[in-house]
Structure formats: C-alpha cells, structure tokens
C-alpha cells in the first residue's frame, strides 16, 4: 500500500512511518514464524499548518492574470529572477494545475538547493487554476500552438529574458512548440511524458468513442497512468481521482483535453551532420526527456528522442516508476517491513510502482550544471543509489530497481558526465 504526498486542496497528506524497534531475522520460511516484535508508533503527517509558512510553495509568491492575444492566463511567480539567469518555467498536464503537478516536486528537500539559484514561474493553462470560473457560452479555447504563443506575453509582462522549461504531458508539448518558435528565449527543456506527434485517425476515433462511453476523470487517469499502476497504486490513483473530479472545473477541463487531442505534429527532425542541421526543425537548446518505464507515454517519448539531435538530448527512463515521476510518494509500514524483514517474500509480491523525485531532482541538477549553472551543487543521491545498486544486485535484489540515464551521444550538452551517474551496477 502506498500513500501519496501530493499537496492538494484536500484533507490528504503524505505520511511518514516511524519504526523505532524492529527485530530482524533471516527471511527464510523457517524463520518467518519468529517475526513477532515489531513496534510502530503513531503515523504522522509530513506537513502541517505550523510549518506551512516556510514551505517553498507558500513563500514569496505573486499571482498574475496576464492578458494575451488568445485570452487570459494565470501565472504564479515565486522568487525574484537572479541577474541574467533564466527562470524555471513550468507547465502542467491535463487534469492538473501547477500545484497538483509540481508542488510535491518543488517541495522535495533536494530541490531547495536549485530554487535558491532560480526563480520559478508556474503557468496554469486557461481555466485550469484553482477556483477557475467556467468559460462563457461560445468561448473558443486556444489551440496548443496558441497556448504556446501565450508564453511570449507572459515573459514580456514579467520582464523575463529566458527560461528553462519543465513540462509534463500537454505542458511538455506546449513548451516544445514554444522552444521551436522562440529558440532565443529557451535555454533548456525538461520534458516529462512528451508526445510530439498528432493523434492518428484511429487514436482520434478511439478518443471520440471513449468520450461518449467513459467519464472524463477516467480518461484523464488513463492518460497519466498505465494499466499496472491503475491496478496497484490505489492510494495515488484515488488522490488524483478526487482532485480531478473536485478541484478542476469539468467543462474547462473538457476544453483543454479537446485542444490537446487536436494537436498537430511538431515535425521535429533529427539533423544530419553537415547536411540539414541548419535547415531542419529541431531544438536549439539542450533537452532532457523523462519517462517512467510503466508510463503510457513510453513509446511517444522514445519516438521524440529518436527525432532529436543526439548531441544535446538526454533520455532518462526511470525503472519501477509510473506515469508521474515528479510526485513524492512514501511506502507505508506493511510494504517497508516486507522489504526489510523478508526480501525473499518481497520478490514474489506484485511490483509496486513509485514516483522517484529524488533521482529526477539529481538528474535536473546535472542538466543545469551542463548549461553552466550551479557548478558547486552537491550530488549525493545518485552516487549513493549507484553504490547501493552495485552491492545489492550481488545479494539477490532485483536489477530492475535501477534507473537509467542514457546519453544520446558524445559531448551531450544537457547532462555532463551522464555516463558516470547511471544508477546501474
């Protein structure tokens, strides 16, 4: 069983388990009867109202409703731009807003080192922010290209010179489109679950039929999570189900979903050295592509990777990870005890998929360092994880617990020394 640490406007919080006393035994069947003395203290919330004021997401926040040629967009600015450094600009996926998509990631302890160096600008797609009113009758929702063009007005209004974009799903597509149209404004891209392709006729027909027979909440959940995660990760799924149903205006969500399903192919092409590198359509900035190995977006991300310049593109495919790798999640006592006390039994249990914000944060640090920023940032999590992986595989633990950071070619600008941070034995 898993509990989500999403900070949603629901009475749902992440929980931590205190295990002060555990008597350890061999995990052989003969010894299983000896597992008797296990003391668990009261489960406590990870965050509470007393420390909420010190939370990154509630500090130094300025909200803006910015008028653009394609309508009003809601933006939340956190921190002050640091000199000539770019601002981290985020864009969420369908069924989410910036809080439910990125709060947990930016509140993760290892991200605090990054947010000390960069201001963060969260963009909510029109009508998707908390408390958004329904659109008036006859309202024309912007296309994906128009949503991308709205970002130009955002940067102008906030006097931002350039950005490092972090997008998930639909947000990743929007940031990709913006980077192709305005390469001078984008210094780097982190694209989670990106799909640069238009829906085919079969996909379009299937989506139409699904829209007639399935409620929008289930459609959005199937977009975020694979079948395995929908069946096994019930707490996380229920958290998102409630959020999508209760906190997002359903009519507005339907418009955003329709806009995403009508997206065009971005027509990105991999450059051929000395032949087409100056004429084809591709990113001019380093890009980090991220996907969980059980995400429904795996094929789309791999396809996107095959189209990009291998010299400035890095693919991070995270093992034992589901559809939203940036979400924090903590195992409860039952799962933890099985892992600690009975590894052999744990090997027989169904695989539990979990987001891995720590490894994603570490990869982001390498990515930013490859761009010339934060040269003294501490790098510990992947090093510790790599050491653990090297020692644990020999003791019989599953090799699939490793994540892989795969560089596309020599001299990758996105993540220097990526070959040295592969979390593999």
């Amino acid at each position: 069983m898993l509990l989500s640490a999403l900070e949603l406007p629901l009475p749902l919080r992440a929980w931590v388990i205190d295990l002060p006393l555990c008597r350890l035994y061999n995990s052989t069947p003969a010894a299983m009867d000896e597992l008797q003395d296990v003391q668990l203290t009261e489960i406590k919330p990870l965050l509470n109202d007393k420390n909420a004021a010190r939370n990154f997401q509630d500090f130094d926040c300025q909200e803006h409703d910015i008028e653009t040629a394609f309508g009003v967009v809601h933006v939340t600015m956190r921190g002050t731009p640091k000199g000539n450094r770019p601002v981290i600009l985020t864009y969420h996926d369908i069924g989410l807003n910036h809080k439910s998509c990125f709060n947990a990631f930016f509140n993760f302890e290892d991200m605090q080192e990054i947010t000390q160096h960069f201001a963060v600008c969260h963009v909510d797609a029109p009508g998707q922010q908390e408390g958004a009113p329904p659109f008036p009758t006859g309202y024309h929702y912007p296309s994906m290209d128009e949503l991308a063009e709205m970002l130009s007005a955002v940067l102008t209004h906030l006097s931002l010179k350039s950005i490092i974009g972090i997008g998930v799903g639909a947000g990743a597509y929007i940031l990709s489109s913006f980077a192709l149209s305005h390469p001078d404004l984008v210094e780097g891209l982190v694209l989670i679950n990106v799909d640069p392709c238009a829906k085919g006729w079969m996909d379009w027909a299937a989506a139409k039929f699904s829209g007639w027979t399935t409620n929008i909440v289930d459609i959005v959940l199937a977009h975020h999570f694979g079948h395995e995660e929908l069946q096994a990760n019930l707490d996380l799924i229920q958290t998102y189900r409630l959020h999508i149903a209760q906190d997002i205006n359903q009519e507005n969500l339907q418009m955003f979903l329709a806009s995403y399903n009508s997206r065009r192919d971005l027509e990105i092409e991999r450059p051929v050295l000395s032949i087409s590198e100056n004429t084809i359509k591709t990113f001019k900035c380093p890009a980090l592509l991220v996907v969980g190995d059980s995400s429904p977006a795996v094929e789309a991300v791999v396809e996107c990777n095959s189209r990009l310049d291998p010299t400035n593109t890095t693919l991070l495919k995270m093992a034992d990870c589901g559809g939203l790798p940036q979400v924090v999640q903590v195992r409860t006592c039952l799962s933890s005890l099985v892992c600690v006390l009975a590894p052999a039994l744990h090997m027989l249990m169904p695989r539990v998929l979990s987001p891995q914000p720590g490894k994603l944060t570490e990869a982001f640090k390498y990515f930013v360092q490859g761009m010339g920023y934060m040269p003294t940032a501490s790098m510990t999590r992947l090093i510790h994880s790599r050491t653990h992986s090297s020692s644990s595989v020999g003791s019989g633990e599953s090799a699939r617990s490793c994540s892989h950071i795969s560089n596309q070619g020599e001299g990758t600008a996105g993540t220097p020394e990526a070959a040295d941070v592969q979390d593999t034995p």
Side-chain angles (χ1 to χ4, degrees):
M1 181 179 178
L2 296 172
L3 292 177
S4 169
L6 276 173
E7 287 194 302
L8 304 177
L10 299 168
L12 299 170
R13 293 290 186 268
W15 304 90
V16 292
I17 309 301
D18 186 11
L19 305 176
L21 175 62
C22 290
R23 184 173 298 175
L24 302 182
Y25 298 89
N26 291 330
S27 57
T28 60
M32 292 300 292
D33 293 338
E34 299 181 28
L35 301 180
Q36 298 174 357
D37 298 336
V38 177
Q39 177 182 340
L40 303 179
T41 62
E42 179 183 2
I43 298 175
K44 302 175 183 179
L46 186 63
L47 295 175
N48 54 53
D49 293 336
K50 293 182 180 180
N51 61 20
R54 300 181 63 83
N55 187 293
F56 172 75
Q57 293 298 322
D58 300 320
F59 179 73
D60 196 15
C61 163
Q62 294 181 336
E63 298 190 35
H64 306 265
D65 289 315
I66 300 175
E67 188 74 41
T68 75
F70 304 104
V72 177
V73 61
H74 183 81
V75 174
T76 303
M77 189 74 188
R78 304 187 185 280
T80 304
K82 312 296 194 295
N84 292 325
R85 290 189 176 185
V87 167
I88 297 174
L89 185 143
T90 73
Y91 215 118
H92 60 87
D93 203 353
I94 58 174
L96 308 175
N97 51 42
H98 84 268
K99 291 186 176 181
S100 56
C101 193
F102 293 109
N103 262 20
F105 180 58
F106 280 93
N107 288 337
F108 191 69
E109 57 181 353
D110 289 357
M111 276 296 292
Q112 304 312 304
E113 184 175 12
I114 296 175
T115 55
Q116 290 175 2
H117 294 83
F118 296 93
V120 181
C121 177
H122 296 295
V123 179
D124 287 310
Q128 311 304 306
Q129 70 272 21
E130 278 189 349
F135 291 116
T137 303
Y139 175 82
H140 171 71
Y141 201 85
S143 68
M144 298 300 284
D145 289 332
E146 291 170 342
L147 290 173
E149 283 303 313
M150 294 171 80
L151 296 179
S152 295
V154 170
L155 269 61
T156 300
H157 181 88
L158 298 176
S159 300
L160 305 180
K161 297 178 181 179
S162 62
I163 66 168
I164 299 174
I166 304 180
V168 181
Y173 179 98
I174 291 168
L175 288 176
S176 298
S177 178
F178 180 71
L180 292 171
S181 301
H182 303 277
D184 54 319
L185 298 178
V186 182
E187 293 194 27
L189 288 173
V190 178
L191 305 175
I192 303 172
N193 301 338
V194 64
D195 186 351
C197 304
K199 272 186 173 294
W201 283 107
M202 292 297 294
D203 293 330
W204 179 86
K208 272 291 185 182
F209 181 77
S210 179
W212 295 332
T213 60
T214 309
N215 69 67
I216 191 170
V217 175
D218 288 329
I219 293 174
V220 172
L221 288 174
H223 166 78
H224 291 306
F225 307 105
H227 178 74
E228 184 179 2
E229 193 168 14
L230 288 170
Q231 297 298 318
N233 216 343
L234 299 181
D235 293 291
L236 181 68
I237 301 305
Q238 181 64 10
T239 298
Y240 274 100
R241 181 181 295 278
L242 292 174
H243 169 64
I244 296 167
Q246 298 179 7
D247 299 328
I248 304 294
N249 184 290
Q250 300 297 284
E251 294 180 1
N252 297 358
L253 172 57
Q254 184 68 60
M255 292 184 183
F256 187 25
L257 175 61
S259 178
Y260 180 63
N261 285 339
S262 301
R263 66 188 181 277
R264 64 176 179 85
D265 193 303
L266 288 178
E267 300 177 347
I268 300 172
E269 297 180 61
R270 171 167 288 194
V272 178
L273 188 63
S274 302
I275 298 178
S276 60
E277 55 185 357
N278 295 322
T279 59
I280 55 93
K281 194 174 184 181
T282 190
F283 296 143
K284 305 301 182 184
C285 64
L288 173 63
L289 309 185
V290 182
V291 67
D293 67 347
S294 294
S295 168
V298 169
E299 291 185 7
V301 174
V302 172
E303 170 65 20
C304 182
N305 180 62
S306 69
R307 296 186 180 193
L308 294 175
D309 186 347
T311 63
N312 66 359
T313 304
T314 302
L315 172 62
L316 171 59
K317 186 177 180 182
M318 305 181 71
D320 286 354
C321 184
L324 296 177
Q326 80 279 12
V327 177
V328 178
Q329 192 169 356
V330 182
R331 292 178 184 269
T332 59
C333 56
L334 176 60
S335 178
S336 299
L337 288 177
V338 169
C339 292
V340 173
L341 303 179
L345 179 60
H346 180 253
M347 292 287 291
L348 300 177
M349 295 178 63
R351 182 167 64 137
V352 178
L353 303 175
S354 61
Q356 302 178 32
K359 292 179 181 178
L360 180 58
T361 300
E362 202 76 357
F364 184 55
K365 285 184 181 180
Y366 279 105
F367 180 73
V368 171
Q369 280 192 325
M371 298 170 59
Y373 301 108
M374 297 177 59
T376 60
S378 59
M379 299 292 172
T380 58
R381 183 171 298 272
L382 285 183
I383 295 174
H384 291 166
S385 181
R386 179 179 57 183
T387 303
H388 171 74
S389 297
S390 299
S391 60
S392 65
V393 171
S395 63
E397 289 190 14
S398 172
R400 72 183 177 192
S401 64
C402 304
S403 294
H404 303 275
I405 299 180
S406 172
N407 252 351
Q408 289 296 301
E410 296 295 331
T412 299
T415 53
E417 304 176 10
D420 293 331
V421 298
Q422 288 191 14
D423 187 15
T424 55

